[in-house]
Amino acid sequence: MPRAVREQQMLDAAVRTFARRGYRNASMDDIAEQAGVSKPLVYLYLNSKDELFAACIRREAASLVAAIRAAVEHDAPADRRLWSGLHGFFTHTAEHPDGWALLHVQARTHGDPFAREVAAMRAEIVEFVTHLLRTAVREHGCGAARTRRMTGGEAAGLAYALVGAAESLAEWAGGRAGGGPSAEEAAATLMNFAWAGLGNLLRGERWSPGERVGA
Amino acid sequence: MPRAVREQQMLDAAVRTFARRGYRNASMDDIAEQAGVSKPLVYLYLNSKDELFAACIRREAASLVAAIRAAVEHDAPADRRLWSGLHGFFTHTAEHPDGWALLHVQARTHGDPFAREVAAMRAEIVEFVTHLLRTAVREHGCGAARTRRMTGGEAAGLAYALVGAAESLAEWAGGRAGGGPSAEEAAATLMNFAWAGLGNLLRGERWSPGERVGA
Amino acid sequence: MPRAVREQQMLDAAVRTFARRGYRNASMDDIAEQAGVSKPLVYLYLNSKDELFAACIRREAASLVAAIRAAVEHDAPADRRLWSGLHGFFTHTAEHPDGWALLHVQARTHGDPFAREVAAMRAEIVEFVTHLLRTAVREHGCGAARTRRMTGGEAAGLAYALVGAAESLAEWAGGRAGGGPSAEEAAATLMNFAWAGLGNLLRGERWSPGERVGA
Amino acid sequence: MPRAVREQQMLDAAVRTFARRGYRNASMDDIAEQAGVSKPLVYLYLNSKDELFAACIRREAASLVAAIRAAVEHDAPADRRLWSGLHGFFTHTAEHPDGWALLHVQARTHGDPFAREVAAMRAEIVEFVTHLLRTAVREHGCGAARTRRMTGGEAAGLAYALVGAAESLAEWAGGRAGGGPSAEEAAATLMNFAWAGLGNLLRGERWSPGERVGA
DNA sequence: AATGAATGAGTTTTCATTCAT
DNA sequence: CATGAATGAAAACTCATTCAT
């Protein structure tokens, strides 16, 4: 069997095992058995547990980012673009729960080489979302007379909150297979969230502890 | 030295160690040394590594929930109540980074006995937030003529998104010691987010893939 | 059983095993079994295979050097001092063949941390011998009218040759238990060697490729 | 490429690798890579790691012995013959440091099949030297009235000492590339040593612990 | 109440060696 | 002739856990 195929089999097995048992609890024996090969072969192809884990993270991160980028409907209006990206995110995480668990739960837990990789992916997504938000502002905000520009910090904060909310919803959705929201529902919930917040931001209607914007 | 005190010292040491090195990487030797006692004593008081970890999670979870409950200004208007709860959350996580890392990062990583414990705490917070939201609806929504009731699913989705966003912001804030948002800023960011979304929800203005509410 | 005692037992076992099977071939399991303890205990006390090996070398080197120093009859004339040192060397190596094999054969074979240790010991012995030779020159050489001083290079060369010859004889003696020379004979053989060479050196009678000093 | 050539390439690579990394630390992968062939080919030609190592030892031992024999100036007087042999030894070891390290350091370290091979080579050299010494005695000793015959043990002891001293000097010379003695110097140093000792032996002037011959 | 001494079981990693092609 | 693919066996090292005192 050619090397490339075997390697993917190993990565599949490793992603499953790491996601379900955690990095330290997953033994190389387990992974080799799952992959249907002997342990030395895993080492021959992937060098060490660390490198194997890193390879898993890279593959899953790339896969997730690619899925989001592919899902965005580039020619649609801004809100629809944002929605389609979110939808792609929820669809992919729902279809690859192990990969998502690997990125969201396992990779963050373990020291620097791995967490950095995930942080980089997250930053890429956050930046992508920030870009979508800013484009949306430019496109839709023009009509309003009293539109403010959005500062970088505001956009980043909004993007972080959005991504975090998305991750939380994805986890909720994944946890109760079927019982949670569908990808469409989750994306819509977030849009309600984000679109309204974005509008407020642009109109300069900001909630602050002292006064109330009102519901 | 009385037993209760020794036990707290051990838990302190364990929380630090588990948070910083992860469950599997933290050895009982490390913890005993950190606590300044001998290893058999740790076993005498806390039975096993698993039980010790569980005790840490329980203590930190209770501490976080208590902090949030204590922070809520019960006699203030609804928005202020929500804000004060969020503020309490951000303050506590900023002041107890090890405890927060234990709950947010470590506890989820390891199989069922622990993740369940954290899920329970999370559920408690979500329920609490849901309650705050519903109260807010009742209180503030009355004025509006066209107010809808919020369904259970809607409230839960909103709450999950809110909690996830909060966690994401807390992590962002924690990551760049000082550079990120303060507790006040983080809480305000979320309020802008949530309050607007909540308002939309009540007014029946919902974003949906087919049509656009507009910014 | 107290730690110090166990530690010596472990070192005894390790010296035997390393000497007979070589560093890489000696497994920690072997050594632990030889010592009558479990493997983790060996690690608890001696940290790693490398450190264990180093500890063996240090102990045996110190023991050999001490034996030589103790054997030298300090108040005797120079030749007798040299002889007694050699005699101490041959006696000790004959009585501790494993220790001698460890130093002479094993320690040199394996990279820097260990070879350096043995080289240091060897340098100490060479220096000691050089000192004995120089003293002998001063003491006995005076009578001769035409005595030259010995240069540092000459003394070191002689000392190296002497130590090498001694090691070779010790190995010969050790190899054929009983069949080889006794410590006395070996020491005497070397004295015949060294003493004559020393005399020639002092008298300026040097052999060179072109001419012959004659037998 | 013909088999014989390939085989020599493999032996070259193996000698280098074994000499520099030690028998156990040198992997067949390393050697095959060094030789520029695939691992199965090494096995096809040389059967096993042990046989490969043995082949290396045999080749290097034969090469060293041949170099010494070739260096001896058969028609020269006895002292010159001995000197030329020593000179050949030092020259060869200086020019083939890996081969010398293999014989002197590595081969002795590992159990019986290999050490025996080296011991045989050493015995051959010792015997050769013994022969040279005895011939020298016959040739040069005749003039002296009071010449004793040399016993077999005496000759062997002298030879062993001489070979050991030579090895020690070779190691010294090898260690400090350039800084140590040249082949000429090393050989001369030993001649000063040996020739004088030999003369003493023949004249019956023997050093013994009880009395002193004097310097 | 508290600890020094001790270990069984399991982990990652390496390597000599062999087929099928 | 030559090799890519594959593995059984073993070695270094760690750790949760328990006694005897």
Side-chain angles (χ1 to χ4, degrees):
Chain A
M1 184 168 310
R3 171 168 179 153
V5 177
R6 275 270 195 256
E7 232 174 80
Q8 288 307 314
Q9 285 178 358
M10 289 178 196
L11 287 179
D12 291 342
V15 167
R16 273 178 64 112
T17 312
F18 282 139
R20 296 179 185 193
R21 308 171 62 118
Y23 176 71
R24 288 284 318 243
N25 249 347
S27 81
M28 294 299 268
D29 278 288
D30 293 342
I31 293 169
E33 196 184 11
Q34 271 277 330
V37 297
S38 72
K39 205 171 17 160
L41 200 59
V42 180
Y43 276 91
L44 188 62
Y45 285 176
L46 288 146
N47 299 320
S48 75
K49 196 182 186 182
D50 272 26
E51 279 190 41
L52 173 56
F53 193 47
C56 290
I57 292 173
R58 269 195 296 275
R59 193 183 76 167
E60 295 305 313
S63 165
L64 175 56
V65 168
I68 295 176
R69 290 198 186 277
V72 170
E73 303 166 353
H74 287 285
D75 300 329
D79 57 345
R80 178 84 194 181
R81 286 208 300 281
L82 183 53
W83 179 84
S84 56
L86 289 171
H87 186 254
F89 170 80
F90 285 113
T91 304
H92 187 87
T93 54
E95 282 174 357
H96 303 85
D98 286 335
W100 172 239
L102 190 77
L103 296 175
H104 181 49
V105 181
Q106 298 301 335
R108 305 178 118 153
T109 311
H110 302 96
D112 230 341
F114 314 124
R116 207 196 307 278
E117 207 98 34
V118 178
M121 176 204 71
R122 206 167 192 258
E124 191 178 343
I125 296 182
V126 166
E127 195 187 1
F128 185 58
V129 169
T130 308
H131 176 71
L132 285 181
L133 291 176
R134 291 184 154 280
T135 326
V137 166
R138 226 170 289 133
E139 220 168 275
H140 287 255
C142 312
R146 297 286 238 9
T147 319
R148 292 174 45 243
R149 302 222 46 177
M150 201 169 29
T151 70
E154 282 171 351
L158 192 57
Y160 262 102
L162 193 57
V163 170
E167 289 172 348
S168 180
L169 284 173
E171 199 179 352
W172 183 39
R176 33 193 83 199
S182 69
E184 276 81 9
E185 287 163 355
T189 296
L190 272 185
M191 284 305 289
N192 278 319
F193 225 18
W195 219 237
L198 192 57
N200 277 359
L201 228 54
L202 290 175
R203 283 189 299 276
E205 295 177 11
R206 317 199 69 215
W207 189 94
S208 81
E211 39 163 352
R212 296 174 245 140
V213 167
Chain B
M1 186 172 306
R3 169 162 180 159
V5 178
R6 274 260 203 265
E7 231 174 83
Q8 288 307 314
Q9 285 177 356
M10 290 179 195
L11 287 179
D12 289 343
V15 167
R16 271 177 66 112
T17 312
F18 282 138
R20 295 180 186 191
R21 309 169 62 120
Y23 176 69
R24 288 280 319 238
N25 256 344
S27 78
M28 293 298 268
D29 280 281
D30 291 341
I31 294 169
E33 195 185 11
Q34 272 276 331
V37 297
S38 74
K39 213 178 357 168
L41 199 58
V42 180
Y43 276 89
L44 189 63
Y45 284 179
L46 288 144
N47 301 321
S48 78
K49 196 183 185 182
D50 274 24
E51 282 189 40
L52 172 57
F53 193 47
C56 289
I57 292 173
R58 269 197 295 276
R59 193 183 78 167
E60 295 305 313
S63 163
L64 175 56
V65 169
I68 296 176
R69 290 199 186 278
V72 171
E73 303 167 353
H74 287 285
D75 300 331
D79 59 345
R80 180 81 194 186
R81 284 209 300 280
L82 183 52
W83 179 85
S84 55
L86 289 171
H87 187 252
F89 170 79
F90 285 113
T91 305
H92 188 85
T93 54
E95 283 174 356
H96 302 86
D98 286 335
W100 172 238
L102 191 76
L103 295 174
H104 182 48
V105 181
Q106 297 301 335
R108 304 178 120 154
T109 311
H110 302 97
D112 229 343
F114 314 124
R116 206 197 308 279
E117 206 97 37
V118 177
M121 174 203 73
R122 211 164 188 258
E124 191 178 344
I125 295 182
V126 165
E127 194 186 0
F128 184 57
V129 169
T130 309
H131 176 72
L132 284 181
L133 291 176
R134 292 185 154 280
T135 327
V137 166
R138 226 168 291 133
E139 217 168 279
H140 287 255
C142 313
R146 298 286 240 6
T147 319
R148 294 174 43 244
R149 300 224 49 176
M150 203 173 23
T151 69
E154 280 170 352
L158 192 58
Y160 262 103
L162 195 57
V163 170
E167 288 173 349
S168 180
L169 284 174
E171 200 178 353
W172 186 37
R176 28 194 87 198
S182 68
E184 274 82 10
E185 289 164 355
T189 297
L190 273 184
M191 284 305 290
N192 277 318
F193 225 19
W195 218 237
L198 193 57
N200 277 358
L201 227 56
L202 291 177
R203 282 191 298 275
E205 295 177 10
R206 318 198 68 214
W207 188 97
S208 80
E211 39 163 354
R212 298 174 243 140
V213 169
Chain C
M1 187 169 305
R3 171 166 179 157
V5 176
R6 275 271 196 256
E7 233 174 78
Q8 287 307 312
Q9 286 177 356
M10 290 178 195
L11 287 179
D12 290 342
V15 167
R16 272 179 64 115
T17 313
F18 282 138
R20 295 178 185 193
R21 307 171 65 117
Y23 176 71
R24 288 285 318 245
N25 250 345
S27 81
M28 293 300 268
D29 279 288
D30 292 343
I31 293 169
E33 196 184 12
Q34 272 277 330
V37 296
S38 73
K39 202 173 21 160
L41 201 59
V42 180
Y43 276 91
L44 188 63
Y45 286 177
L46 288 146
N47 300 317
S48 76
K49 196 182 185 184
D50 273 26
E51 279 190 40
L52 173 56
F53 194 46
C56 289
I57 292 172
R58 268 196 295 277
R59 192 183 78 166
E60 295 305 313
S63 165
L64 175 56
V65 169
I68 295 176
R69 289 198 186 278
V72 170
E73 303 167 353
H74 288 286
D75 300 330
D79 57 344
R80 178 83 195 184
R81 284 207 301 280
L82 183 52
W83 178 84
S84 54
L86 289 170
H87 186 253
F89 170 79
F90 285 113
T91 304
H92 188 87
T93 54
E95 282 173 358
H96 302 87
D98 287 333
W100 172 239
L102 190 78
L103 295 175
H104 183 48
V105 181
Q106 298 300 335
R108 305 178 120 153
T109 312
H110 302 97
D112 229 342
F114 314 125
R116 206 197 305 279
E117 207 98 36
V118 179
M121 176 202 73
R122 207 165 192 258
E124 192 179 343
I125 295 182
V126 166
E127 195 187 0
F128 184 57
V129 169
T130 308
H131 175 72
L132 285 181
L133 292 175
R134 290 183 155 282
T135 326
V137 166
R138 226 170 290 131
E139 221 168 274
H140 287 255
C142 312
R146 296 287 239 6
T147 319
R148 292 173 48 243
R149 301 223 46 177
M150 202 171 25
T151 71
E154 282 171 351
L158 192 57
Y160 263 101
L162 193 57
V163 169
E167 289 173 348
S168 179
L169 284 174
E171 201 179 352
W172 184 38
R176 32 192 85 200
S182 68
E184 275 82 10
E185 287 164 356
T189 297
L190 273 184
M191 284 306 289
N192 277 320
F193 224 19
W195 218 237
L198 192 58
N200 276 358
L201 227 56
L202 290 176
R203 281 190 299 275
E205 296 176 11
R206 318 199 67 214
W207 189 95
S208 80
E211 41 163 351
R212 302 173 239 138
V213 167
Chain D
M1 185 171 308
R3 169 162 180 158
V5 178
R6 273 260 203 265
E7 230 175 83
Q8 288 306 312
Q9 284 177 356
M10 291 179 194
L11 287 179
D12 289 343
V15 168
R16 270 178 66 113
T17 312
F18 283 138
R20 296 180 185 190
R21 309 170 61 121
Y23 175 71
R24 288 281 318 241
N25 256 345
S27 78
M28 293 298 269
D29 280 280
D30 292 341
I31 294 169
E33 195 186 11
Q34 271 276 330
V37 296
S38 75
K39 213 175 4 166
L41 200 58
V42 180
Y43 276 90
L44 189 64
Y45 285 178
L46 289 144
N47 301 320
S48 78
K49 196 183 185 183
D50 274 25
E51 281 189 39
L52 173 57
F53 192 48
C56 289
I57 292 173
R58 269 196 295 276
R59 192 183 77 167
E60 295 305 314
S63 165
L64 175 56
V65 169
I68 295 176
R69 290 198 186 278
V72 170
E73 303 166 352
H74 289 285
D75 301 330
D79 58 344
R80 180 82 194 185
R81 285 208 302 279
L82 182 53
W83 177 84
S84 55
L86 289 171
H87 187 252
F89 169 79
F90 285 113
T91 304
H92 187 87
T93 54
E95 281 173 359
H96 301 86
D98 286 334
W100 172 237
L102 190 78
L103 296 175
H104 182 49
V105 181
Q106 298 300 336
R108 304 179 120 154
T109 311
H110 303 97
D112 229 343
F114 315 124
R116 207 196 309 279
E117 207 96 37
V118 178
M121 174 202 73
R122 210 166 190 259
E124 190 178 344
I125 296 182
V126 166
E127 195 186 0
F128 184 58
V129 170
T130 308
H131 176 71
L132 285 181
L133 290 176
R134 291 183 155 283
T135 327
V137 166
R138 227 170 290 132
E139 218 168 278
H140 286 257
C142 313
R146 300 282 243 5
T147 319
R148 295 173 43 244
R149 300 221 50 175
M150 203 171 26
T151 69
E154 280 171 352
L158 193 57
Y160 262 103
L162 194 56
V163 170
E167 288 173 348
S168 180
L169 283 174
E171 199 179 353
W172 185 38
R176 30 193 87 196
S182 68
E184 275 81 10
E185 287 165 356
T189 296
L190 273 184
M191 285 305 290
N192 277 318
F193 225 20
W195 218 236
L198 192 59
N200 276 358
L201 227 56
L202 292 176
R203 281 190 299 274
E205 295 177 12
R206 318 198 68 216
W207 189 95
S208 80
E211 40 162 352
R212 295 174 246 140
V213 168

